Amino acid sequence: MKKILAMMMALVLTMSLCAFSAAEGADISGLTVTTPGGAPALALAAMAAENPGQYTTVAADTIAAAFAGKEADFIIAPLNAGAKLYKAGKSTYKLAAVVSWGNLFIAAQKEELKAEDLNGANLTLFGENTINASVVLYALKENGIEPAEVTYLAGASDTQSLLLSDAEAIVVTAEPALTAAKMKNDKISAISVNELLQQASGMEGYTQAALFVKAETAESNPEAVAAFLAQAEEACGKCTTDVAAVAEAAVALEILPNAKVAAAAIPGCAIRFVKAAEAKEQVEKTAQIDLSQFGGEVPADDFYYGAE
């Protein structure tokens, strides 16, 4: 009996090693990735710099078209956008991993800006009716902070411009725009929205940007997908363990203008790779902040790649 058990264990181990080797040795050179520019692109910058021909950068407001076009094997996009399109039947892309956990900050030209400074103040956000705005407003409300007025501009670069031009403005901006602003004006200080969110709910960030895999690619070439995701996890890890290398890659890919800004901004982008199945609870917690941003309900189980 012991011999039989030993043989069975050896067989299982051999099969596992073979599967791992197959995944590690799979050819991923034909796989393509579409990503918006800016912070989301930093997640795989270390990979993209080695094989730039596999990566296409698009404007953030065209990412829905990338899902509909089904040309790329992988897409980096706001998680809620991918979930909403999948629920509506407009996308076959499944969530492979969460790669960005919140890069938002509240900033002003003021030494040591504090959360209580926002009470009764005018606050300018970017991206009205987006999950980012919903997270900010939720974090403020749950911490008992009540601005007198909330207004909106289009994007983080717009609130960055206001931050630099108006000494009285209090704005929500994002990395790397915040770091670039600080390098132009050393009076600027900021509050991490993630810190406010953790104080309010215990959440360590929120599921902001994600890596999606096309279902057809996952079905037809699972070994290559597994190999790609293993390398993607390593690339995300470098955003913590080798910031200088990622900064150099970001400059080479024209994601950011210079290595100094990149190196200072990357830590605030909260990039870490968490597989879909392991991130499910956090996805649902983020969705509960504003279900309308996820199509009215939390994503179905089949949205999560590898969780079947």
Side-chain angles (χ1 to χ4, degrees), residues 18-281:
C18 288
F20 178 77
S21 298
E24 288 293 298
D27 181 15
I28 67 170
S29 62
L31 298 178
T32 56
V33 184
T34 293
T35 177
L42 292 171
L44 300 188
M47 288 177 70
E50 294 180 1
N51 299 287
Q54 292 176 247
Y55 293 77
T56 300
T57 302
V58 299
D61 59 1
T62 66
I63 205 70
F67 280 99
K70 297 175 65 173
E71 293 182 3
D73 297 296
F74 293 90
I75 295 176
I76 294 178
L79 191 149
N80 69 296
K84 205 169 184 178
L85 290 167
Y86 188 86
K87 179 182 181 296
K90 297 179 180 179
S91 165
T92 64
Y93 287 81
K94 293 176 179 283
L95 175 65
V98 179
V99 296
S100 174
W101 294 81
N103 65 337
L104 304 179
F105 292 82
I106 302 169
Q109 290 188 38
K110 181 175 182 176
E111 290 186 15
E112 297 183 14
L113 179 67
K114 296 180 176 62
E116 51 265 33
D117 294 332
L118 277 66
N119 282 316
N122 294 331
L123 177 64
T124 304
L125 280 74
F126 68 90
E128 188 172 8
N129 295 321
T130 65
I131 189 62
N132 287 338
S134 295
V135 167
V136 172
L137 296 177
Y138 169 82
L140 293 177
K141 180 180 178 181
E142 293 301 308
N143 279 284
I145 299 166
E146 298 183 7
E149 183 180 2
V150 174
T151 56
Y152 293 88
L153 295 177
S157 61
D158 299 298
T159 54
Q160 180 210 48
S161 296
L162 178 62
L163 173 64
L164 288 168
S165 64
D166 186 347
E168 301 302 317
I170 301 177
V171 309
V172 174
T173 189
E175 288 289 18
L178 174 62
T179 291
K182 283 183 173 181
M183 289 186 175
K184 294 177 180 178
N185 187 331
D186 59 9
K187 293 180 181 178
I188 293 172
S189 64
I191 304 165
S192 166
V193 172
N194 275 4
E195 289 183 7
L196 293 176
L197 186 61
Q198 186 169 30
Q199 291 169 16
S201 65
M203 295 170 64
E204 295 184 5
Y206 66 103
T207 54
Q208 185 181 37
L211 178 64
F212 297 89
V213 59
K214 185 165 62 176
E216 294 83 351
T217 302
E219 292 168 5
S220 64
N221 203 349
E223 292 84 6
V225 168
F228 181 92
L229 292 178
Q231 290 191 29
E233 183 171 8
E234 183 179 345
C236 287
K238 287 184 178 180
C239 291
T240 300
T241 62
D242 196 352
V243 172
V246 177
E248 290 177 7
V251 174
L253 295 166
E254 299 183 349
I255 298 171
L256 292 173
N258 63 72
K260 185 177 180 181
V261 170
I266 287 168
C269 291
I271 294 169
R272 66 180 188 273
F273 184 101
V274 180
K275 295 177 182 177
E278 297 170 9
K280 186 173 185 287
E281 182 180 354

